[in-house]
Amino acid sequence: MPMDMKRALVAGVVVAGIGVAFGVGVAVGADGPERPGRPFAAERPGTGRVLLSNADVTVTESCDDLLAAYVDRGVERVTPWGWDYGDVYADTSGGATEDSGDSAPTEERGSAAAPVPSTTRAGSSETGTNVQEEGVDEPDVVKTDGQLLVRVDDDLLTAYSLTGDEPELTDTLDLADVQDAEILLVGDDVVVIGRSEDVSEQKWSYSGPPSRSRVLVVDVSDPTSMEVTSTKEYDAALVTARLHGSVVRVVVSAGLPELDFVSPGFWRDEESAFEKNQEIVRDSTIEDWLPTVATDGGDPEPLMECGDVAIPEDEDGGLGTLAVVGFDPAFADSWDTAAVLSASQTVYASADRLVLATNGFLSGPAWWGGDVIECFDVCPDMSRAFNGGGTTHLYSFALSGTDAHFVAAGEVDGIVADRWSMDEADGVLRVAVGPSAETGPFNSVVTLRETGEDIVEVGRVDQLGPGEEIKSVRWFDTLAIVVTFRQVDPLYAVDLTDPESPQLLGELKIPGFSDYLHPLGAWRMIGVGAAADESTGQVRGAQVALFDVHDVTNPRQLGVVEYGYGTQALAGTDPRQFTWLPDRRTALTVVSDVSTGSVGSVSVIEVEDGGLTQRSVEVEYGDDVARVRLVPLADGRVVLVTGNDISFFDI
């Protein structure tokens, strides 16, 4: 492949990415003007880092003070058998902006009070991945710049040239000690992000198996000879990663440390074991709590300074260290880190904001070695309700260059299920929350603003889908579409034009539900999910539906495709298996069938004014249908990636 052509294309992509506003303002870099209405906390003199000291969050230069915060919380979490039940979270863990042509005459757009939905904030990234936010790329198993396609399959990286009639393999590279890897493409570098295969000496997180995170930078400037140029290993679990411009942000979580706790036995009763374990927590060091990073096989070093960790006053956010690490792959030996004393696992990221959400910890009888342990009178307070007591804690970071400044914290009544339930637009954070002890048996849409160092609720719509579960959420500039389900699929349209007074405008009830919603233009959406029996709610199989929302007071379903019993539309659980081709007015999504073994199908769905037409193309996907991808290229071609093959897909 001609390298000058590849570099020219990559340069265009990078320039386009940098052209999107980065940082706090509307200009590139840290020197851009501040966005109006987005106040910052004071910077610590001489460091450029944020100093918070309000009633909700503090940052201290003293490692002793930080350790005291960990210890105070840890003493409340320890039992006669060690740590309590642990942190439990609900973690379920595009760029093409053209209008699809689904326009409507002005007089047909509903009442004057109804918002006009806009879809300029969703689509596919420049690298081919269907993403949540325009300009913010997400890791995937396949990335492309239009001429080069790079794919990772566990610990094997392969590169293909796309300049010929068929994809041509150019090189393969074994990746050392990495599992479940995904990749980002940044110019001539591939950033590989996954779990380390080396599980020795790992900190036990008490929310799952021990885990280390491994990040590799691979030079693909010569796609016939790929080379690893940087390796980092974090003794913390990988939460997620994002790319904006040339900056990669990796979010890792270090949970409860593995300490040498004792247990009750013949020589020690529960009370003395409890007191001893409290003493062990009090004797822990800051090194026990803070994560480290080892670069290129060297010795571990601290990932952050004590002054980089924000300490929430409220302890319901869980116990651990959630760190945001920013770096440019071209300068991988330099990075910036910001952190919060929390065990959050839900992360939303836009171009200039990163928001962490946590529902607190799940308390109840302690578990140890698979057995339930009743603690009686010597155990810590375990009376909090399941699902974190009904409140979600929010932590907001402003993004600028490779740095992330912690700027505000707050909470919202209700449970935030996943990243798709959060969105930020024009300085307003919008969240969809499920039922909790603090709200009631219904769902809500809530609007919040950063006011000083606090995230403050300013508006709320309740009573969405009483007794039902949120299945999907899609955010527009002034509109939220929320789908809930129990037996039928209520689709709610919420007007966000005035954040202080959001209004429920319209509702549509139909059988089945949509796990994933994708905008097709100004007035149409596709919902990917499941068909269900209207009377019983029993799922019948995969379903794709077309919705018309040009009059949000009266949303309509224009057409539906059902795939039969035993089928599943996989975009419902992984939106990266959905591809929208606006020029062709065609959607591609992967459908599996439990009756066909390793053979599934790509559903080719053409969107017409009156509804949908569909044809299925059978594909062999190998061992893992979840890794099938349909990658659109700028020249109109589509690459089909399966477990066994890479080819151009005949639409």
Side-chain angles (χ1 to χ4, degrees), residues 154-155 177-182 193-197 199 214:
D154 205 12
D155 60 353
D177 301 326
V178 65
Q179 291 181 329
D180 302 325
E182 294 185 343
I193 304 160
R195 293 189 301 111
S196 172
E197 289 184 346
V199 297
R214 197 166 179 83

Side-chain angles (χ1 to χ4, degrees), residues 546-634:
L546 176 65
F547 297 100
D548 183 341
V549 294
H550 82 269
D551 179 0
V552 292
T553 65
N554 183 33
R556 297 182 299 147
Q557 185 185 81
L558 299 181
V560 64
V561 174
E562 293 190 22
Y563 297 86
Y565 285 97
T567 59
Q568 181 183 9
L570 300 181
T573 54
D574 188 348
R576 298 175 302 181
Q577 292 192 289
F578 180 94
T579 301
W580 171 240
L581 307 175
D583 293 340
R584 296 176 179 262
R585 296 172 56 81
T586 298
L588 308 174
T589 193
V590 182
V591 178
S592 67
D593 189 334
V594 295
S595 67
T596 61
S598 63
V599 178
S601 64
V602 173
S603 179
V604 181
I605 307 162
E606 295 183 0
V607 179
E608 301 175 345
D609 289 338
L612 304 174
T613 60
Q614 189 274 154
R615 64 183 175 89
S616 295
V617 179
E618 201 170 82
V619 296
E620 294 185 6
Y621 55 75
D623 296 332
D624 191 357
V625 66
R627 301 179 76 84
V628 175
R629 296 290 186 271
L630 292 136
V631 183
L633 304 180

